[in-house]
Every structure is written in structure tokens, then in C-alpha cells.
């Protein structure tokens, strides 16, 4: 079933014309932004040089740290009065990345999410529990409005209180649930311990973090539903960039709204069709925050050719990152953010180490922090105060609780070459 059959099954020649027209429009939007005026000048290219879709290779890439320069609203291509909502996502250091949406952006976004949900057979008579964070994270409101657009009965349950979530599924006869795959696994475990079988559930939408085919099999077995992968990123509105159809052989990337390229992250050269590399996206319809060749950092490959469902372009499930970003309980964390916080605290010494573990299906982050000599020889209650302060500062910046362990100066490993400060001990099932 289609939400927008014309766009979802558009013929390749027509699609190319549409993409080129929209690319040119996006570049004219980008011209409104100081960052792009400068970047185009430095690259010696003008939007008028773009005559074919392949000319996109003449354009400069946009890197996440560049978004920081415009904090908070400097990258918007429209006056603030046209921006009706903002979301944020992790930046690479102290301040978050801010994403603005015009009215039209919100309409585009909910349409894309509605397409996803219709594609997997969700309808007006479905009861949809949206068990993700409803704040600045795009997964909450993004799916909420998409599901309402389809006409489903939406339960904005948000996160937390797993037993209550399970009661809601049972009491309201929930047919579809959206959450991170790791939370879904936790939910299944708690449901089992409560002796609940959650028979009404038929569809699970899982995303915002990497997961695997084994995890899909486990979730389907334990929750008795069909599980679908959902990919997106805040810089591209949020969820709704690519989504699995019932064939579940790759995720359909909405080609009328996003122009996808795959590059070698080291050489920045474009790779041949089918090769695996970093996904670079130029959004084609974004008004408030236009972006040009945005380096997502996500590793995947393009799957060309038509799918049995009738739709076009697909990407394979995201298999990794080309940078050091961690996704912890659906929240993106850059080690540079941790470093930024720690370096701003006088009690903290030279080194730190970050350990990521999965305990009972949920991710935990532990940060070992070397103290300064003076800090470490202080009273025990001082140490407890410092530990609390560090954990508080990290929570403020990362939006995530971390366990902080203070250690003696000189006790953490020193690196001769590239420091390896993050040890990810999770095994993605
Ligand atoms: O995670 C948007 C989203 C919400 C997607 C709900 C799906 C469902 P950000 O917080 O900006 O946005 O994080 C984006 O998360 O660049 C990927 O590294 C990772 N990610 C998102 N979806 C998937 C997925 C939302 N299905 C970053 N598989 C992206 C693997 C994913 N990684």
C-alpha cells in the first residue's frame, strides 16, 4: 500500500528531472546562509554551475562540526518568524546541533513518516504506542505526527515505566509499537516476567540505533510481531529518511526528498554503485535548514534496481560509523563532547577512558576520570562531591546518565599513537 504512489514509484527519468529541479532550489536556499556563501566561494563553485545531477560532485561537503559555527540559529535560511519548531541533537562538543522547521518542513516530514507506516500496512484502525523520548529527540514528535496523519490512534507513552507501558499495550489493545530495538528487548523481558504475551502487537518499528538480523529474529520471537528497521537523522528532519518495506531487503530512501551518495570516507571519492561507504545526503525539500552533501558518518551501500514492492532506491541497514560517534540508548554521543566537559573542570587531570557495556539489554556508559594530584589527595567527601559534579555536567551536556569513577593520576593507559579512549564492549546481538 502506498501513501504517495506517484512519488514512491516515480519513473527514473522523471525522478532525475525532479531531483535536479529540487537540487537547484536547495542551492538557492543554501545561498541565504552565510556558511554556504563562504563554502561556495572557497570551492569556486556557484549554484549556476549545477546543470546535471552529477554536477553535485562539484559542491563542497558539509561536516557536522561546521553546524556548530552557526549556533543557535545562524544556519537557518528563513527568518526566525517562519521557523515553527526546533529540535536539537548532539553536537561534537559543548553545544547541540539545532534543527529548525518551517510549517512546510513539518508537513514534508510527517508525510515521509506517513509513507513509511502505510508501506508496512499500518492503517487508521491501528493503535500505535510511541515509546520513545518526546522532547528534543526527533523520534517522538516525528512519529507522532506521521501516525496521526495516517489516522491511527496514537498513544504518546514516551519512555520509562516499562510495566506501565506493558499494561497500556494490553489495556488499549496496541497493534504497533515504536521504540529503540534495545528498549524493545528490555520490554519483552519485563513482559515475560509479568507473564504477559502481548497478543495484540503485530508490528514493531525499531530504529535510532544500530541493530542486527539476529536481534530482529529475537524481537519477533519474543514479542510476536513483525519488526521493521527505521533510519533517519535530525539534520534531515529526523526519522523518515529510509525505511523497510514488507520485503525487508534494504530500506527505501525517499529519493524525491533526499539525494544520496556513497563515498569513501578517507579519500572523499564517490564509490561505484553497490560499494559500501559513508552515506552523504543532500536534502531536496528542506526550507529552514538546507544542507549540501551532508556527511552523515553512517556506513551503508546503495541497492539499485526495483524492489518487489514497486519502489526504487534502497540502502542496506546501517552497518557502522565512519567516525567515533557512539549511539547509547538511542542518544548520540561524541567522545569529543565528553572531552570538552572534562577539560572544563579544574579537578580533572590528564586522561579519561570511556567504557560502554550492555547490561540487561540496555546500554551503560562508565567514564574513568583521572584526577589532578591535588584533587586526589583531598578528603573522601570532596571526592564524592567532585564525582557528583562531573556526572552532573556530563548529564547536562550528553542528556545521558553515566557512571563516573575517579582514579589516581597516572593510572590510566597512555597512548603513543592515536588515543583509544573509548572501549565499546557491547555485542550487538
Ligand atoms: O535517531 C532519528 C530517528 C528516530 C531515527 C527514531 C529512527 C527512529 P538522531 O538522534 O539525530 O536522529 O541520530 C541519528 O542515529 O546518523 C545513525 O548513526 C543512528 N541511527 C538512526 N537510525 C538508525 C538505524 C535519530 N535504523 C543517528 N540503524 C544516525 C542504525 C541508526 N543507526
Amino acid at each position: 500500500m502506498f501513501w504517495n504512489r506517484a512519488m514512491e514509484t516515480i519513473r527514473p527519468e522523471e525522478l532525475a528531472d525532479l531531483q535536479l529541479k529540487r537540487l537547484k532550489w536547495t542551492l538557492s536556499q543554501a545561498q541565504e546562509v552565510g556558511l554556504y556563501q563562504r563554502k561556495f566561494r572557497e570551492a569556486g563553485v556557484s549554484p549556476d554551475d549545477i546543470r546535471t545531477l552529477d554536477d553535485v560532485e562539484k559542491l563542497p561537503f558539509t561536516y557536522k562540526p561546521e553546524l556548530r559555527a552557526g549556533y543557535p540559529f545562524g544556519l537557518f535560511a528563513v527568518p526566525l518568524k517562519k521557523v515553527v519548531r526546533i529540535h536539537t541533537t548532539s553536537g561534537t562538543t559543548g553545544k547541540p546541533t539545532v534543527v529548525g522547521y518551517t510549517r512546510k518542513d513539518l508537513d514534508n516530514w510527517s508525510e515521509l513518516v506517513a509513507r513509511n507506516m502505510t508501506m508496512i500496512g499500518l492503517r487508521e484502525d491501528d493503535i500505535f504506542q510511541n515509546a520513545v523520548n518526546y522532547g528534543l529527540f526527533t523520534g517522538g514528535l516525528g512519529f507522532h505526527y506521521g501516525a496521526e496523519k495516517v489516522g491511527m490512534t496514537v498513544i504518546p507513552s514516551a519512555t520509562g515505566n516499562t510495566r506501565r507501558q506493558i499494561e497500556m499495550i494490553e489495556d488499549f489493545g496496541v497493534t504497533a509499537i515504536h521504540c529503540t530495538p534495545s528498549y524493545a528487548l528490555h520490554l519483552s523481558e519485563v513482559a515475560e516476567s509479568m507473564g504477559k504475551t502481548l497478543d495484540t502487537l503485530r508490528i514493531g518499528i525499531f530504529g535510532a540505533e544500530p541493530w542486527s538480523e539476529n536481534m530482529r529474529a529475537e524481537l519477533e520471537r519474543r514479542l510476536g510481531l513483525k519488526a521493521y528497521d527505521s533510519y533517519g537523522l535530525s539534520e534531515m528532519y529526523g526519522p523518515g529518511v529510509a525505511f523497510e518495506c514488507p520485503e525487508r531487503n534494504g530500506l527505501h530512501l525517499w529519493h524525491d526528498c533526499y539525494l544520496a551518495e556513497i563515498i569513501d570516507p578517507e579519500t572523499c571519492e564517490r564509490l561505484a554503485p553497490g560499494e559500501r561507504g559513508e552515506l552523504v545526503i543532500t536534502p531536496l525539500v528542506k526550507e529552514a535548514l538546507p544542507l549540501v552533501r551532508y556527511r552523515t558518518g553512517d556506513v551503508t551501500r546503495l541497492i539499485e534496481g526495483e524492489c518487489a514492492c514497486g519502489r526504487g532506491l534502497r540502502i542496506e541497514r546501517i552497518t557502522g560509523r565512519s567516525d567515533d560517534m557512539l549511539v547509547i540508548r538511542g542518544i548520540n554521543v561524541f567522545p569529543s563532547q565528553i572531552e570538552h566537559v572534562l577539560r572544563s573542570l579544574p579537578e580533572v587531570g590528564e586522561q579519561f577512558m570511556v567504557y560502554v557495556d550492555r547490561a540487561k539489554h540496555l546500554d551503560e556508559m562508565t567514564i574513568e576520570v583521572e584526577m589532578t594530584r591535588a584533587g586526589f589527595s583531598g578528603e573522601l567527601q570532596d571526592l564524592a562531591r567532585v564525582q557528583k559534579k562531573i556526572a552532573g555536567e556530563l548529564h547536562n551536556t550528553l542528556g545521558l546518565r553515566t557512571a563516573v569513577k575517579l582514579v589516581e593520576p597516572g593510572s590510566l593507559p597512555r597512548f603513543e599513537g592515536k588515543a583509544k579512549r573509548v572501549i565499546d564492549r557491547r555485542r550487538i546481538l
Side-chain angles (χ1 to χ4, degrees), residues 222-239:
R222 295 176 81 156
L223 288 169
L225 44 63
K226 209 164 168 193
Y228 291 94
D229 191 6
S230 152
Y231 169 75
L233 60 162
S234 311
E235 292 88 336
M236 303 293 152
Y237 291 149

Side-chain angles (χ1 to χ4, degrees), residues 301-312:
R301 65 185 184 89
L302 301 183
I303 306 172
E304 307 253 9
E306 206 173 274
C307 172
C309 78
R311 295 175 185 84

